[in-house]
Amino acid sequence: MTITIATATRQGTGENNADCTATFTSQTGLTATALIDVSGHPPNAPAIAMLLAETAARVGAQHGGRAGLLSAGLLVADPGAAEEPEPSGVGVVVTREPGERAMISWIGDAHAYGWDGTRLHRYTTPHTLAEQMRTLGIPVGDVAHDWITTSLPEATPANVLSVTCHDPLIILASDGTDCIPNEEFAAIVREHADDPQALADAITAAAREDDKGYRDDTTTAVVLVR
């Protein structure tokens, strides 16, 4: 068995693409792919996103995705003494080796999906106020949608969640894909499931502007075991 990884990213209507992906394979054969979405669009967002993604992937390939995200969180846990402190962010990591099940770890509103050849399943639950309200049966207003309740600076072993996944195809996505309807997302996966790069490109390209003309940065990572 082999693992194929493909990524695609597209800057939104704001400045500075704040999304980044990274992949690292340890000497034991465990491969970790990380996707980081930094909050806002400050000038240093691309550099911070790259640093956090590389950290999450390299540590994740040795000690697991949860350790990878905890390590990335430590890098931004202290806002610093500068006038413009380092930004916050969210992330998701998938670790996998050929022939073994995958482990998905996440914090915030980055997503992970699995495709078994017939159905698409989202394995992550966003750490947002809106999701908490849905869980409690409280009507969700538009104002609650983007409120992230847990992000990398607050990462602890208790709030970085992990689930196992046996699907051969796993998709990591930033919240820029939230504007893609579920049916359309599944149709894209069904059409390009055998071509990871085409799938990553198609999902990223499907992101669109909202009714106010804003489109978020959109990034996709596809991990396929053949």
Side-chain angles (χ1 to χ4, degrees), residues 1 6 38 56 68 87 95 108 137 147 157 178 191 194:
M1 293 185 179
V38 166
T95 56
W147 290 3
D178 289 352
E191 179 180 358
D194 292 330

Side-chain angles (χ1 to χ4, degrees), residues 156-214:
T156 69
N159 60 28
V160 177
L161 303 182
S162 297
V163 296
T164 57
C165 174
H166 295 274
D167 296 333
L169 177 66
I170 296 176
I171 302 158
L172 308 182
S174 66
D175 67 338
T177 61
D178 289 352
C179 61
I180 307 173
N182 293 336
E183 297 80 4
E184 180 180 345
F185 198 106
I188 293 173
V189 176
R190 185 177 298 107
E191 179 180 358
H192 300 290
D194 292 330
D195 188 336
Q197 190 60 61
L199 177 56
D201 290 339
I203 292 174
T204 302
R208 64 206 69 178
E209 297 179 355
D210 61 19
D211 54 4
K212 298 180 181 179
Y214 175 75

Side-chain angles (χ1 to χ4, degrees), residues 101-123:
R101 64 184 180 180
M103 181 69 73
I104 298 168
S105 303
W106 78 97
I107 189 167
D109 60 350
H111 309 307
Y113 302 83
W115 174 259
D116 68 356
T118 58
R119 66 102 178 96
L120 184 69
H121 177 71
R122 191 178 76 182
Y123 284 89

Side-chain angles (χ1 to χ4, degrees), residues 8-219:
T9 188
R10 181 169 61 139
Q11 183 173 324
T13 52
E15 297 181 353
N16 307 311
N17 189 344
D19 293 354
C20 190
T21 62
T23 295
F24 187 79
T25 301
S26 68
Q27 289 184 338
T28 64
L30 186 66
T31 296
T33 298
L35 186 153
I36 297 294
D37 180 359
V38 166
S39 303
H41 301 273
N44 62 343
I48 294 296
M50 181 179 295
L51 174 63
L52 297 180
E54 287 285 351
T55 299
R58 287 178 173 269
V59 175
Q62 301 172 65
H63 304 290
R66 177 175 289 169
L69 289 173
L70 288 171
S71 298
L74 288 174
L75 296 179
V76 289
D78 188 326
E83 293 183 1
E84 295 185 3
E86 293 180 349
S88 178
V90 301
V92 58
V93 177
V94 57
T95 56
R96 169 162 250 170
E97 55 184 312
E100 300 294 334
R101 64 184 180 180
M103 181 69 73
I104 298 168
S105 303
W106 78 97
I107 189 167
D109 60 350
H111 309 307
Y113 302 83
W115 174 259
D116 68 356
T118 58
R119 66 102 178 96
L120 184 69
H121 177 71
R122 191 178 76 182
Y123 284 89
T124 53
T125 302
H127 297 158
T128 61
L129 178 58
E131 192 64 29
Q132 288 186 357
M133 293 171 67
R134 292 189 189 97
T135 301
L136 297 172
I138 302 174
V140 179
D142 292 339
V143 69
H145 176 74
D146 292 328
W147 290 3
I148 298 173
T149 57
T150 310
S151 56
L152 282 168
E154 298 85 42
T156 69
N159 60 28
V160 177
L161 303 182
S162 297
V163 296
T164 57
C165 174
H166 295 274
D167 296 333
L169 177 66
I170 296 176
I171 302 158
L172 308 182
S174 66
D175 67 338
T177 61
D178 289 352
C179 61
I180 307 173
N182 293 336
E183 297 80 4
E184 180 180 345
F185 198 106
I188 293 173
V189 176
R190 185 177 298 107
E191 179 180 358
H192 300 290
D194 292 330
D195 188 336
Q197 190 60 61
L199 177 56
D201 290 339
I203 292 174
T204 302
R208 64 206 69 178
E209 297 179 355
D210 61 19
D211 54 4
K212 298 180 181 179
Y214 175 75
R215 177 173 52 80
D216 198 2
D217 302 330
T218 305
T219 301

